[in-house]
Structures are given as C-alpha cells and as structure tokens.
Amino acid sequence: MRKLLLSLLAAATLLPAADFESEVRPLIRAKCLSCHQESNKLGGLSLETLPDALQGGASGPSIVAGDPDRSPLLARMLLPADAAGVMPPAGPRVSGADLAAVRSWIAQGAAWTVPVKVAGQESPAPADDSEMVLARSIHALIAARAGTASDESFEPYREAVPGTDVSLEMMPIPAGEFVLGTAPDEAGRSDDEGPQVRVAIDGFWMAAHEVSWDAFRRFMLREADARVDPDRVAAAVSSPTPPYVEMSFGMGITGYPAISMTQHAASKYAQWLSAKTGRFYRLPTEAEWEYACRAGSTTAYSFGNDADGLGEHGWYWENSEAQYRPIGSKAPNAWGLHDMHGNVWEWTLDRYEPQYAAGEQPLDNPWAQAQRLYPRVVRGGSWMDDAPALRCGARRASSEDWKMQDPQLPKSIWYHTDAQWLGFRLVRPRLEPTAEMMHAYWNSANGAK
C-alpha cells in the first residue's frame, strides 16, 4: 500500500500545481498550526508563512521549493503512524489526496500567499501587498533552484524559457571599477554626462542581445484574458493589455528587437521570466549598463574614439535604412555584447538626473531609484540617431511625449507607441537579492515610488 501511495505521489508532480488557497492552506491550518505557529513553535518551526517554512526550525528547512523529495514537511506526513516525528502526531492521518496536493504544490514552486493563521484569526492580504507576496513566491523558486543547480560557474550560458521555443544568451560581466560619465573634451558630449565619478560594480550576467519580439511576444500575447499559463506563479505576473496596433510598425518580427514598451512592461517581463526560469532577472542600472558597454575601454565607443568604425558595431541613421535591424547582426564588444551601440535605445532602472551625484568614491553599485514616473534613463542610441548618441556615455531622459498617440485613458502603462526606437535587455546579478529588493526592482516603474 505504501509503495502504491508513493507511486501516486510521484505521478502528482506531472499534474497541474495544487491550489494553495483551496487545497494546501486548509491542510496546514488543520494539521500543523497547533504545534507550529509563531506563538507556539515546536522545534523552533512556524508554518505561518513561506519564509518561516523555508527557514525551518532546529532540524532545518521544512520545505525545499521545487523539490518535494527533499522537503521534510512531506516526508514527515508520509511516516507510519507510530514512527517518531510523524506529522501530525495525533488524530486522523493526512489523506492520500491531500498528500498528492502537497507534493504537487511543492514541486511547482510552493507558491504561498498570505500567512496561514488559526481559524478565526486570518485576514486577507492588503491589496497593495499582492506584489510583495508574489515577489516572495518567486524568490522561493529562485532559492530552490540555487540550492540544486550545478551550472552556477561564472561562464556564458543559454537560458531556455520553459513552455516556449525561445532562449536567451547570457554573458558574464566581471566585477570591477570604472569611471562613469565622459570627459569634458569628448566629442559630442552633452552636459548631463558628468561629473565623472568612480564606481564599483559587482559581477553580473548581461544578455548578449536586446530582447527580441520572438521572446517578448511570449509574454505580451500570453492569452492574458484567460490567464492561461502552466506555471501558476508566472501566471500571477501582470500581463500587457492587447495592443491596438501592430507593434513592429511593419519593421519585422522574427529576429528583430522588441520595441515601444514602457519601463513597467520591461520590468514585468523580467519578473515573468524570473518566475518561468527560477533565475532572477531585471533591468540593468545605469552604471551597470555603461560599465558593460565600455567593456574595459575608456574611449567614446567600446572600439575606440573614431566614429568611422561605428558601421561595424552598430545600427544608426547612416546605415539603418530608417528602421531597426536584426539583433546580433553587428560585431559585439569585448565582453560579447551585441548592439550596445545603436539599433534601439535600452531601458535602465534609474531615474534621470541632469548630473551624477559625486559622493564618496568609489560609489558602490549605485541605483537612482525613481520617485516619479518621468523621467527615467535610456542608453545606447538607436537606428534613427546620429553617431554621437551611440557613445558609451550618452544618455536620454524618458518623456510622456513617447505615448502621445496612445488613445487609452488613462494612458497605457504598457506601451510607448511613439517610441519606435526603444527596447531593452536584461541582467542577472551574481549575488541574489532579497525578496524585498526583487520587489523593488520589478515594481519601481509603476509611478507610485
């Protein structure tokens, strides 16, 4: 009988994830909280929240998100009734259906919403807390993969996006120091490119290419109305509204960079991708972007000071034929990054300030977190710009004018219809941030910060 139950539980991982609210929460409340709540932590273990369960008690974590076979919560429920450490220690055993639900829920990432309380003490999560709850669920997925992955050496890698036919190529960017901004005598320099400051940057991976339509449309057109997604946590990430125009504007889809998204849309794509892959992705900070673009150089362009060499490395007004071009069709910089000069401007996380803040140097991984919707910083220049806009230190401030033709009221948080030269690429830090920082990175573009 026990072997049959185990085989049924193994098969449960192939089924859709169990619903936490209707299947798992009632079980934890009925079978676990009498011994494992904050006010009565037997063995030091509380099961009121996912962070509590992941931290565990005296015996270590009770849940390993994504791996039910290494999760003591399930293992103790499977013990014989007279075995030491069986859960629950008294009363009716956990049914086979409930065990299968717990196994399926853990296998699919252990998504957990508001805290579990004793009956009569529960209250719904505040509406503005839903994004934090989602960030914690994704953080748990990422923590689970980090604990089991064998490919974490600091090398290039290719990330296949589960449930799709697309992937992204990530290049390692070594930690180091550099001078952010441009020298006063650099040709084409604007006043907002200084004062120069020394910055220290931790190591991270950066996408070798701008995010393509092939990749972004898997998120943008993911049957948003029906919320159809086999990954329940990924499905909880906000979806773009269906566009009312063809968003490539006739310039091409397959192999071309995605364009005209708001910074909010780019950040939500990063959050969705993180939930799909179990790795943390976000937009780069402005300092990270310039550091990666320079790739160890100190010249106006990553390849030197002479704009005559730009045709080999970037798409701009003189060679683009008045439209964006396929990603990766120009030579990369020294760190393997394509299209850092031109093709499309790229979003960063930072608010735009007309001058850099020259504090105690080196500045440590600076991020000018936005406090209002406009302006934010984009980098790199585009297919419709002249050469000076493609320099490593060139900057541009975002503007609400980028959605002048948007007929929606209020105007869309997803599309900058008039910014047909605007895209983005992603980074993945070597050091995983806390759930709170993930939340800040993914939600800094909503205009409420």
Side-chain angles (χ1 to χ4, degrees):
M1 183 66 181
R2 181 174 170 81
K3 288 183 178 180
L4 176 60
L5 178 58
L6 289 173
S7 65
L8 291 173
L9 290 177
T13 61
L14 302 178
L15 300 175
D19 181 70
F20 178 79
E21 290 297 322
S22 64
E23 298 178 83
V24 181
R25 175 192 290 278
L27 172 65
I28 292 176
R29 188 170 64 182
K31 302 291 188 182
C32 306
L33 284 195
S34 61
C35 297
H36 299 292
Q37 57 182 296
E38 191 61 33
S39 61
N40 178 31
K41 296 195 289 187
L42 184 64
L45 173 64
S46 170
L47 290 175
E48 289 188 357
T49 68
L50 181 58
D52 290 337
L54 292 174
Q55 177 178 333
S59 301
S62 64
I63 290 175
V64 179
D67 195 342
D69 294 326
R70 295 175 58 228
S71 297
L73 178 72
L74 179 61
R76 288 178 180 272
M77 290 179 178
L78 285 167
L79 290 172
D82 57 352
V86 62
M87 289 181 61
R93 301 301 311 282
V94 179
S95 70
D98 283 343
L99 288 169
V102 171
R103 181 180 183 85
S104 174
W105 168 68
I106 294 174
Q108 298 295 329
W112 192 311
T113 52
V114 298
V116 181
K117 299 289 186 182
V118 174
Q121 297 180 2
E122 292 191 277
S123 59
D128 61 0
D129 193 42
S130 59
E131 285 291 349
M132 187 66 247
V133 170
L134 178 57
R136 287 183 178 132
S137 296
I138 299 173
H139 182 269
L141 287 173
I142 293 168
R145 175 164 185 176
T148 59
S150 59
D151 59 346
E152 292 303 301
S153 59
F154 196 45
E155 301 289 341
Y157 69 90
R158 183 172 293 276
E159 182 82 88
V161 182
T164 77
D165 57 355
V166 299
S167 62
L168 66 159
E169 183 181 358
M170 302 298 295
M171 304 302 296
I173 308 301
E177 291 187 11
F178 83 113
V179 175
L180 174 69
T182 59
D185 60 350
E186 182 171 298
R189 182 186 190 271
S190 298
D191 290 342
D192 65 354
E193 295 172 23
Q196 290 183 296
V197 292
R198 180 161 288 279
V199 172
I201 298 290
D202 290 335
F204 60 96
W205 286 270
M206 183 176 244
H209 306 101
E210 295 154 339
V211 172
S212 68
W213 276 124
D214 310 79
F216 190 68
R217 281 163 60 90
R218 300 305 191 280
F219 168 67
M220 190 177 86
L221 305 177
R222 61 184 178 118
E223 299 183 87
D225 292 338
R227 291 290 189 266
V228 177
D229 195 320
D231 300 312
R232 286 178 177 265
V233 179
V237 179
S238 299
S239 298
T241 52
Y244 58 89
V245 295
E246 196 279 297
M247 295 300 292
S248 80
F249 302 96
M251 292 189 287
I253 296 290
T254 302
Y256 290 90
I259 58 167
S260 297
M261 74 292 296
T262 61
Q263 191 194 52
H264 175 81
S267 286
K268 286 298 156 182
Y269 175 80
Q271 184 177 16
W272 173 80
L273 185 68
S274 300
K276 294 287 286 183
T277 62
R279 284 191 169 119
F280 172 60
Y281 293 100
R282 61 166 169 81
L283 292 175
T285 66
E286 185 175 14
E288 288 170 340
W289 193 97
E290 184 172 325
Y291 177 66
C293 180
R294 291 189 179 281
S297 70
T298 59
T299 48
Y301 306 94
S302 63
F303 52 85
N305 285 314
D306 192 348
D308 289 344
L310 194 55
E312 183 182 346
H313 293 86
W315 295 107
Y316 64 124
W317 187 249
E318 288 192 13
N319 65 359
S320 68
E321 298 181 356
Q323 71 161 66
Y324 60 47
R325 311 302 297 182
I327 61 172
S329 52
K330 291 292 185 179
N333 69 8
W335 287 346
L337 305 175
H338 296 262
D339 298 311
M340 296 297 281
H341 302 297
N343 211 19
V344 294
W345 286 92
E346 298 178 10
W347 279 115
T348 73
L349 279 171
D350 294 59
R351 70 175 181 268
Y352 174 84
E353 295 289 351
Q355 286 192 319
Y356 295 124
E360 183 178 349
Q361 298 183 33
L363 304 180
D364 185 18
N365 297 294
W367 172 33
Q369 187 172 3
Q371 305 299 317
R372 58 189 185 276
L373 189 56
Y374 297 106
R376 312 291 175 91
V377 180
V378 297
R379 288 296 205 114
S382 78
W383 56 269
M384 67 175 300
D385 289 296
D386 293 325
L390 277 63
R391 292 172 300 110
C392 296
R395 314 167 70 212
R396 184 171 181 177
S398 68
S399 168
E400 57 187 337
D401 291 344
W402 296 0
K403 58 171 61 188
M404 285 180 62
Q405 298 179 70
D406 191 334
Q408 296 176 324
L409 292 174
K411 291 188 176 182
S412 173
I413 63 173
W414 298 105
Y415 308 113
H416 277 313
T417 312
D418 296 274
Q420 297 169 19
W421 29 259
L422 174 65
F424 70 105
R425 77 177 70 216
L426 298 178
V427 299
R428 177 192 167 206
R430 287 195 77 181
L431 301 175
E432 302 288 3
T434 63
E436 289 72 21
M437 283 304 298
M438 290 183 181
H439 173 268
Y441 289 131
W442 291 328
N443 293 286
S444 68
N446 62 11
K449 294 287 185 182

